[in-house]
Amino acid sequence: MMGKDMAKFPRRKFSRPAAVLGGVALLCALGTFAFWEIRSAAAAEMPKTASADNLKLFDQQVKPFLAANCIKCHGGETKIKGGLRLTSRDSVLKGGDDGAVVSLDAPDKSLLLAAINYGGEIKMPPDSKLPPDKIELLTKWVKAGVPWTAGVDLTPAVLAETPASGRPDPPTPEAARKSFWAFQPVKRPPLPAVKDSAWVRNPVDAFILAKLEAKGFKPAPPADKVSLIRRATYDLTGLPPTPAEIDAFVADQSTNAYEKVIDRLLASPHYGEKWGRYWLDLVRYGESNSYERDNPKPNVWRYRDYVIRSFNDDKPYDRFVKEQLAGDEMPDAASSYDPIIATGFYRLGIWDDEPNDRLQARYDGLDDIVTTTGQVFMGLTIDCARCHNHKIDPILQTDYYRLLAFFQNIRPFENGGAGDQTEIFDMPGGRQAYDAQVASKKQQVAATEARIIEIASDFIAKYPAQAAIYAKLTTERERKRKREEVAYGRLIFDEGELALGHKESEEYRKLRRELDEEKHPPDHARALCVSENGATAADTYVCLRGNANVPGEIVHPGFPKVLADGDAVIPKPAPGAKTTGRRTVLANWITSDADPLFTRVMVNRIFQYHFGRGIVRSPNNFGVQGDRPTHPELLDWLASEFKADGLHLKPIHKLLMMSNAYQMSSAVDEKALAEDPQNNLFWRFDLRRLTAEEVRDSILAVDGSLNTKMYGPSIYPFISRGVMAGQTHPGEDWHTTGTDEDNRRSIYVHIKRSLPVPILQAFDAAETDRSCPVRFATVQPTQALGMLNGTFLNEEAQKLADRLKREAGDDLTKQVTLAFRLTTGRVPTQPEISRCLDMMAAMQKHDGATPEQARKYYCLMMLNLNEFMFLD
């Protein structure tokens, strides 16, 4: 259980030796426990009532059938499907996650028989129904009391012989391709039958309710309208709804009132800011390089803006991914800058500008790309195979380097070097206008240089020492070199006025200054991007033990063997091509039906961000080590629907949010809580805390100071000197303006890896060193201390107090009511109003506060309410 729980969270930084040794110890401990549990179960004795004929039936027919058909899923892995192990009689009778599978008292009602007859929700085997003779065999065995020869253990030998690790070797790619759920093609399942069909608003509800009814659970009652609009508004925009928006929804009694809210929110430009931030989490977006200097990445913010625009435009997801992987190779890259800007994806990771081993550092950079590509787009921890075959998943070391070969020709990052940036011209005709400016500058430079040479020739003729040297030169090449030497040297600055006179000497000085300026190219916008070293790539070798300096066998671009056979087919680059075209081949394959993970992984993420956790709780890991889907049929149905909708995200948002499952309240049912404390079956809607960005943005929104300006270079909110003192060079590259620009949304805050903004860090902003699929959502004392005592909160509390006075006048009751409306969305009760008024009066009477100070501290309290910080 500990390993399963840990898989839900993004990795924290630990020293490598401690992490490795701790992990080994944990695996050994868990493995030893699992091993002895299996062996002791196998040793259980068979009841003496089993007849010789029944034991013969087991030995000759049932045992071979179970070993050949069932043990691979119910006995051969550490994580047993459905929690059901069929390796011993004791484990069969123990049952699995759905309870007992065999009833000795009423064998006809055994869940096992219902499953193999396809008579209920559970169907085994899931791919196709067993032949009638096999169903008859298992039925006879169950009715006979599950006879089992004493001492027989069907646990595969590889597991029984390795108690130290407690796990078998990973399945081979070929075996996993045939059996493991994540590697099977996506098939649209039929909708399950439910008893309470009136609760089913759309297919999502049918899949959820079927699981609830099977457990005897009832879904939670619907959320009230204020809670619902608050939940929906935050989910799609990351901002609180205004009192006017809440009132309009509450007053709207039409049957499509809620649907109108969803449509409005999906059309909001703030949608892209909210959901773009999720994507930045995944692709390890940071705006500096980390390490000691942690210098800023040039123009990286254009990638962030590209992401926001793409979400707002509801760009098809396959196009979105292709642009990031191979936008520079797309046919329309020359006419649209988005595909070029998208390839900034490759430049987002950390970068060491002073590596001890440059070759190893290059492969570390490629590993960052392989890791992010594998986890984000495919949901596989391919990076675990850098040094050896994956220990758990069916991923070979050669798979890792075959994938790396797609990126082998990428030019290494140089933090603004020639291969890192491209010119950007936003206005129509911008390129032509720029080229005209360049041509004009060249003409100016040529004319200026010609006049400078002319003055230098005049100086040589009039300055005796230079004239004598010049007269001895015999070739025009030598004379030309002499004229240029004089023209661009010091001998005219120092002696020009004596030889040329004041007027011509000053003209020379002026021309030299102008030439320095004219040689600079015209200013233009640039964007961070990727580039390659031409149309031919160097060979890729397996790095033995991950060491770039110890090459092994040569490999060619290809896909994980568990999903595809053979090398990738790379078309010959066209004449004049600047890249190999390899990344286009990879992008096309990842986004095709050949990769069954592509759509599953993304719909799981959408579901996760709406419901608090994914159908697969480990969203970056759909492999053997990852969590199994709690609702696999729903996952595949959503993936099929996603494909049918042209891979547009907004229809999936609406589908999920229009379901009754999404509109449930967070009310607790004691029976469900006791049996399903993690809410695996979605019997209620999970309460959630605001994200770090939502906390900051909401504070600015409710006090009226939020600047909703979109796009452009990043902002630098105020950070105290004490926090900055932790840097090598305190305050370097942090350019706070002290203007309204500093109050823009948090997605526009400059992400300096060594200097996170305190309020964002305190509330668990994303880790930026690698992909962050799930954020921590902690509740800790430092948050409360910062929210009560921090400079930022106290300043914003004053702004909220000023807003209350400005909009509610001197009426304290109206001020209190407005504060509740802004922070919680609801109207306060009369006792709540009285308590707030008494609190402000007590501060004035007992603490000597002025009315203004009392109002400020009241506002500070309101910004610290659980109702403000949490969504019901």
Side-chain angles (χ1 to χ4, degrees):
M1 286 301 293
M2 186 178 295
K4 183 174 181 181
D5 289 342
M6 290 298 292
K8 303 169 194 171
F9 303 109
R11 297 180 183 175
R12 285 291 194 186
K13 295 180 183 174
F14 301 105
S15 64
R16 184 173 296 274
V20 172
L21 291 176
V24 170
L26 175 61
L27 286 174
C28 288
L30 292 180
T32 302
F33 173 82
F35 170 74
W36 284 111
E37 181 187 52
I38 292 167
R39 301 305 300 174
S40 62
E45 291 188 0
M46 181 62 203
K48 295 180 179 180
T49 54
S51 68
D53 287 342
N54 286 340
L55 293 178
K56 183 178 179 181
L57 172 76
F58 171 77
D59 287 331
Q60 296 183 358
Q61 298 185 61
V62 176
K63 174 184 163 185
F65 176 83
L66 293 176
N69 299 277
C70 306
I71 297 303
K72 63 183 179 182
C73 296
H74 297 287
E77 301 176 8
T78 355
K79 291 192 174 181
I80 304 300
K81 289 193 174 180
L84 175 63
R85 189 182 291 278
L86 300 177
T87 54
S88 69
R89 184 174 190 270
D90 190 70
S91 64
V92 172
L93 296 180
K94 182 179 179 181
D97 294 342
D98 293 303
V101 296
V102 169
S103 171
L104 298 180
D105 295 327
D108 286 335
K109 297 182 180 180
S110 295
L111 180 60
L112 176 61
L113 299 186
I116 62 175
N117 282 283
Y118 279 37
E121 179 188 355
I122 301 175
K123 297 176 175 61
M124 286 293 154
D127 295 332
S128 61
K129 192 174 181 180
L130 291 174
D133 61 321
K134 301 303 181 186
I135 294 177
E136 182 180 357
L137 169 66
L138 293 178
T139 302
K140 184 177 181 181
W141 178 59
V142 170
K143 289 184 176 181
V146 193
W148 196 290
T149 301
V152 170
D153 181 10
L154 298 184
T155 302
V158 66
L159 181 60
E161 293 171 2
T162 56
S165 67
R167 65 168 184 249
D169 287 339
T172 64
E174 294 81 3
R177 192 191 305 185
K178 295 178 182 177
S179 62
F180 191 68
W181 73 271
F183 305 130
Q184 308 308 306
V186 174
K187 296 179 181 177
R188 190 183 186 93
L191 298 185
V194 295
K195 298 175 184 176
D196 186 10
S197 58
W199 191 80
V200 176
R201 183 185 293 267
N202 66 29
V204 174
D205 294 329
F207 288 103
I208 298 292
L209 186 59
K211 292 272 189 181
L212 294 176
E213 290 182 340
K215 274 291 193 181
F217 294 171
K218 290 186 178 180
D224 64 83
K225 295 188 81 170
V226 173
S227 297
L228 187 59
I229 189 174
R230 196 163 179 260
R231 178 190 302 173
T233 306
Y234 270 110
D235 268 10
L236 289 180
T237 70
L239 293 171
T242 65
E245 290 168 342
I246 295 172
D247 291 343
F249 176 55
V250 171
D252 190 345
Q253 298 302 311
S254 63
T255 56
N256 66 337
Y258 176 63
E259 184 177 14
K260 287 187 289 187
V261 169
I262 299 302
D263 289 339
R264 172 176 61 79
L265 295 172
L266 286 172
S268 168
H270 297 311
Y271 160 78
E273 293 173 322
K274 167 65 176 181
W275 281 80
R277 180 59 259 181
Y278 284 137
W279 187 257
L280 299 183
D281 282 15
L282 294 173
V283 295
R284 85 278 188 227
Y285 179 80
E287 299 185 358
S288 65
N289 294 318
S290 192
Y291 296 100
E292 181 182 9
R293 276 175 286 278
D294 200 18
N295 292 323
K297 294 178 182 290
N299 298 300
V300 63
W301 57 269
R302 292 188 187 277
Y303 174 85
R304 174 247 292 150
D305 286 0
Y306 154 80
V307 170
I308 296 173
R309 288 196 306 271
S310 296
F311 275 94
N312 276 336
D313 294 343
D314 202 15
K315 183 177 291 181
Y317 182 58
D318 55 345
R319 169 75 187 194
F320 182 57
V321 171
K322 287 178 182 178
E323 287 178 343
Q324 293 174 76
L325 289 175
D328 57 316
E329 296 179 340
M330 285 184 161
D332 59 347
S335 59
S336 170
Y337 291 109
D338 264 11
I340 303 292
I341 296 172
T343 65
F345 159 80
Y346 289 99
R347 307 304 197 188
L348 302 177
I350 63 175
W351 177 67
D352 187 356
D353 58 358
E354 274 189 336
N356 292 327
D357 184 334
R358 291 196 175 277
L359 181 60
Q360 190 69 23
R362 167 161 169 72
Y363 273 82
D364 288 344
L366 290 172
D367 177 73
D368 168 65
I369 294 170
V370 171
T371 299
T372 307
T373 300
Q375 294 185 12
V376 173
F377 305 126
M378 303 170 66
L380 291 178
T381 56
I382 294 173
D383 50 305
C384 293
R386 180 181 183 181
C387 304
H388 45 67
N389 290 345
H390 201 297
K391 294 296 186 182
I392 298 176
D393 279 339
I395 300 172
L396 308 177
Q397 189 181 17
T398 50
D399 289 338
Y400 173 91
Y401 287 96
R402 278 150 52 90
L403 186 60
L404 183 146
F406 285 104
F407 311 116
Q408 179 68 268
N409 202 43
I410 288 175
R411 295 178 66 174
F413 182 59
E414 296 177 327
N415 204 41
D420 297 341
Q421 296 196 80
T422 187
E423 298 100 351
I424 294 293
F425 305 98
D426 296 327
M427 300 299 292
R431 164 62 75 175
Q432 293 82 348
Y434 176 76
D435 290 344
Q437 279 185 297
V438 171
S440 176
K441 281 247 183 185
K442 286 182 178 179
Q443 290 179 347
Q444 286 179 281
V445 168
T448 301
E449 287 180 334
R451 177 55 183 152
I452 288 173
I453 294 293
E454 185 179 347
I455 294 174
S457 299
D458 193 23
F459 176 79
I460 291 171
K462 294 179 178 179
Y463 196 75
Q466 290 292 337
I469 296 172
Y470 191 77
K472 294 177 181 179
L473 302 178
T474 59
T475 67
E476 179 54 33
R477 183 178 181 181
E478 291 176 324
R479 296 188 185 103
K480 180 183 179 185
R481 186 181 302 149
K482 182 62 177 177
R483 291 193 297 269
E484 290 175 348
E485 177 188 318
V486 172
Y488 299 110
R490 289 297 309 174
L491 301 164
I492 299 177
F493 279 107
D494 296 335
E495 306 293 342
E497 191 155 344
L498 181 63
L500 299 172
H502 178 75
K503 182 178 181 182
E504 195 170 19
S505 176
E506 282 300 306
E507 181 187 4
Y508 172 83
R509 292 172 181 271
K510 178 174 177 292
L511 290 172
R512 283 293 301 271
R513 291 193 299 268
E514 290 177 354
L515 183 62
D516 289 340
E517 296 177 1
E518 290 168 359
K519 283 189 173 180
H520 289 294
D523 288 336
H524 61 276
R526 292 180 174 86
L528 204 61
C529 67
V530 80
S531 62
E532 290 194 15
N533 294 309
T536 304
D539 290 333
T540 300
Y541 298 87
V542 172
C543 296
L544 301 183
R545 302 300 300 171
N547 188 336
N549 295 287
V550 188
E553 65 176 296
I554 191 170
V555 294
H556 303 286
F559 315 114
K561 195 173 181 180
V562 71
L563 295 172
D565 293 315
D567 294 333
V569 178
I570 311 294
K572 184 178 180 180
K578 297 180 180 179
T579 69
T580 61
R582 291 182 175 188
R583 288 177 290 114
T584 292
V585 174
L586 175 64
N588 288 340
W589 180 83
I590 284 179
T591 58
S592 72
D593 290 338
D595 176 8
L597 294 160
F598 180 65
T599 51
R600 283 190 180 117
V601 168
M602 190 55 186
V603 295
N604 186 66
R605 296 193 195 282
I606 301 172
F607 194 96
Q608 167 196 345
Y609 294 133
H610 280 306
F611 284 84
R613 63 94 168 166
I615 296 172
V616 177
R617 283 189 182 269
S618 53
N620 269 17
N621 188 359
F622 276 44
V624 175
Q625 190 178 15
D627 292 289
R628 301 297 188 269
T630 56
H631 296 70
E633 296 85 4
L634 174 57
L635 182 65
D636 271 19
W637 189 89
L638 288 171
S640 302
E641 190 71 7
F642 189 36
K643 183 75 179 294
D645 282 326
L647 299 180
H648 289 281
L649 270 65
K650 288 188 177 182
I652 300 298
H653 287 303
K654 185 172 182 178
L655 174 73
L656 293 175
M657 297 179 74
M658 289 299 296
S659 69
N660 274 327
Y662 178 84
Q663 297 178 53
M664 283 190 289
S665 71
S666 59
V668 173
D669 177 272
E670 294 301 331
K671 177 180 184 295
L673 183 63
E675 297 184 30
D676 181 20
Q678 289 189 304
N679 195 22
N680 284 324
L681 298 181
F682 299 109
W683 48 270
R684 68 166 180 159
F685 196 88
D686 282 336
L687 193 75
R688 83 164 173 91
R689 199 207 68 203
L690 300 183
T691 65
E693 293 83 0
E694 288 172 338
V695 171
R696 177 180 175 274
D697 295 351
S698 296
I699 292 169
L700 296 174
V702 301
D703 70 28
S705 64
L706 180 67
N707 179 355
T708 57
K709 174 184 172 183
M710 298 180 68
Y711 308 123
S714 296
I715 62 168
Y716 302 82
F718 171 79
I719 294 180
S720 69
R721 290 183 178 179
V723 174
M724 287 186 172
Q727 291 188 287
T728 303
H729 302 287
E732 186 174 63
D733 299 320
W734 197 262
H735 313 293
T736 302
T737 66
T739 67
D740 188 44
E741 280 288 298
D742 297 342
N743 290 336
R744 294 178 63 198
R745 291 197 67 175
S746 299
I747 193 171
Y748 301 110
V749 169
H750 178 73
I751 301 176
K752 187 176 179 67
R753 287 183 158 104
S754 64
L755 188 66
V757 174
I759 191 171
L760 299 181
Q761 183 183 34
F763 286 96
D764 311 303
E767 180 188 0
T768 57
D769 284 1
R770 56 189 292 124
S771 177
C772 179
V774 181
R775 289 193 187 185
F776 287 94
T778 61
V779 178
Q780 52 185 310
T782 53
Q783 295 168 344
L785 289 172
M787 290 289 286
L788 286 170
N789 303 319
T791 300
F792 174 71
L793 260 295
N794 277 270
E795 288 178 349
E796 301 309 312
Q798 182 62 61
K799 293 178 184 177
L800 178 56
D802 294 341
R803 179 179 183 179
L804 299 184
K805 179 67 180 286
R806 185 172 61 250
E807 297 184 13
D810 294 327
D811 189 322
L812 292 181
T813 297
K814 290 182 178 179
Q815 290 180 12
V816 168
T817 301
L818 179 58
F820 266 91
R821 296 300 315 278
L822 292 171
T823 55
T824 70
R826 67 177 178 85
V827 176
T829 64
Q830 189 57 50
E832 287 173 328
I833 294 174
S834 298
R835 287 175 59 195
C836 293
L837 295 177
D838 291 344
M839 184 190 86
M840 285 189 279
M843 281 191 282
Q844 295 176 63
K845 180 178 180 180
H846 301 296
D847 301 314
T850 66
E852 290 74 20
Q853 290 173 325
R855 184 166 56 246
K856 171 190 170 180
Y857 289 119
Y858 162 69
C859 290
L860 183 63
M861 180 200 72
M862 294 301 294
L863 294 175
N864 276 271
L865 289 179
N866 280 345
E867 257 190 284
F868 176 64
M869 299 293 294
F870 287 84
L871 294 177
D872 197 351

